[in-house]
Amino acid sequence: MTKKVLVLGEVREGTLRNVSFEAIAAAKTIADGGEVIGVLIGDAVESLSAELIQYGADRIVTVEHPHLKQYTSDGFSQAFVAVTEAENPDAIVFGHTALGKDLSPKIASKLQSGLISDVTTIEGNGDDALFVRPIYSGKAFEKVKVKDDGIVFITVRPNNITPLEKDETRSGEVSSLSVDITNLRTVIKEVVRKAADGVDLSEAKVVVSGGRGVKSAEGFEPLQELAKLLGGAVGASRGACDADYCDYSLQIGQTGKVVTPDLYIACGISGAIQHLAGMSNSKIIVAINKDPEANIFKIADYGIVGDLFEVVPLLIEEFKNVVVQS
Amino acid sequence: MNIYVLVKRTFDTEEKIVLDGGIIQEDGAEFIINPYDEYAIEEAIQIRDAQGGEVTVVTIGGEDVEKQLRTALAMGADKAVLINAEEDVEDLDQFSIAYILAEYLKDKKADLILGGNVAIDGGSGQVGPRVAELLGINYVTTITSLEIDGNIAKIVRDVEGDSEVIEATLPLLVTAQQGLNEPRYPSLPGIMKAKKKPLEELELDDLDIDEDDVEAKTETVEIFLPAQKEAGRVLQGELQDQVKELVQLLHSEAKVI
């Protein structure tokens, strides 16, 4: 049976996040020929409708209100639940982002539905869909299904589901739903931006990560340079965070973030099991470590035994050459 | 201040996952308090010490969880509650767990409820916000700082590396992110005292919960281990040449650059 699927288009600094296009691709699989409806929530978001349609949404519902300029769980849940009441969907897809993680359980609770978080793969489609998600931070995986024809509500992990090809000839209806947004219990006083270059660790295609071998906060500078050159983000092992070389928000591992970039470059990281849990599902892993016996080499696709402070600058030069050539 | 902390017993982060007949083997494994819940316990104790009141830790699980509850009591929590659902229901999902916790909490007049932002086993991060929604109270997830002044909570929240500075009023549920504090180790006197602190055990009947009320909405049909990643190539030769080779390989073989 075909399904009607709502996808939340997540907006950050005026643009749609990639994970929303991936969510549309996931929604198409679940819809099995049914309708995929993009939902845009904010104070002025209608202009983003066309792009969501070009990535595969059939039509768009917007909810615009001055109180939705900033995300709050109260405001966004009122808006989204109003859309579910108007559309009566069979399925809902969000990105597994800070916003998605904060909002989806509240909405699932309001809808008295299950919620399958952090999905990395969908097997089958329509009614037979099974959702694959990591457990134990990727040390194992589970396949989960929704019981008894309940609402299929999932969040998809960034970087795992391939978005559809953008088709600029696609068009679809855009409608707006008027919702009264009231009683916001959380007041956001200020947002302090730390992720300076704007590439989010969980969405980055390239992650350059440092461990105890980086030795100091300054030691992270060449890693930052390499990450910037490759359009990636910098991560760290618990050891580096505990030693105060960097902020805990960069920590990758079983406590910390789980990342699955195309390329993971581990610099001066020994490869403790907790760290491996957070990154071993990356597509390609490069290890740079002085110790040839380091555990990280056991899971690395390519390894260089050497001092990261020699290797990383050489890598920067070499990548620059390649970038210039291409 | 009437404070509740939601905790979960999890595998130690050092543990490897071994499957037997499609089920994760627990024999011989070390168990801990979910690390994110430890931050929540520590924060609760600090707030109580500064403002007075009582800290109750609550968990759902079998008898084995007593050890982790005693650890929380040894850290400084005042009371522990174990809701034993194992005999009544086989499979609980996040919907079920949140329902049970909310039924327990609904008449407790909690000022503040804390939990970890995610458990390192299931990794769904749903239970906190679900419980808050069921109780009709506000919540803030992934917090890295919490100051309570009368009825107002001043919070810093981690949002993918950025920090949101937030104000919210009590009653409130918050979930802890790494960096919130440095959880203490239980002291020897703490461990001695913990043995005498109250640990209440409840079953679903005691909470007037029907099995049907907590029937899971989702079902795990299979658990599997990821394909073992084979050790790749450690490059050889002069460092300069190794680096050249690596970039070539990333470009032409791995095709990631």
Side-chain angles (χ1 to χ4, degrees), chain B residues 82-214:
Chain B
L82 166 56
I83 304 170
N84 194 337
E86 284 194 343
E87 283 170 23
D88 300 313
V89 211
E90 272 187 22
D91 289 309
L92 301 171
D93 68 356
Q94 299 86 1
F95 166 85
S96 332
I97 296 284
Y99 185 96
I100 295 168
L101 289 171
E103 284 299 302
Y104 168 77
L105 288 163
K106 68 181 184 189
D107 57 0
K108 297 295 183 291
K109 296 193 171 69
D111 299 301
L112 183 66
I113 302 170
L114 301 100
N117 86 79
V118 70
I120 60 167
D121 49 6
S124 82
Q126 293 180 24
V127 170
R130 276 183 181 268
V131 167
E133 176 61 27
L134 290 169
L135 295 173
I137 66 172
N138 194 9
Y139 66 89
V140 182
T141 55
T142 58
I143 70 163
T144 55
S145 167
L146 175 62
E147 273 176 54
I148 292 179
D149 187 0
N151 202 27
I152 305 283
K154 290 181 183 161
I155 297 170
V156 180
R157 168 168 188 255
D158 167 48
V159 185
E160 291 167 356
D162 294 338
S163 299
E164 270 182 12
V165 183
I166 286 177
E167 263 185 29
T169 47
L170 303 184
L172 182 69
L173 184 147
V174 293
T175 69
Q177 174 67 303
Q178 197 156 34
L180 177 61
N181 52 45
E182 193 66 47
R184 70 193 68 191
Y185 289 101
S187 65
L188 194 57
I191 294 167
M192 300 309 289
K193 269 194 225 160
K195 290 178 181 166
K196 291 181 196 143
K197 287 183 178 172
L199 192 155
E200 185 184 11
E201 194 170 333
L202 299 170
E203 291 182 4
L204 294 191
D205 267 356
D206 301 316
L207 298 171
D208 286 329
I209 296 174
D210 251 18
E211 282 169 47
D212 294 347
D213 298 335
V214 294

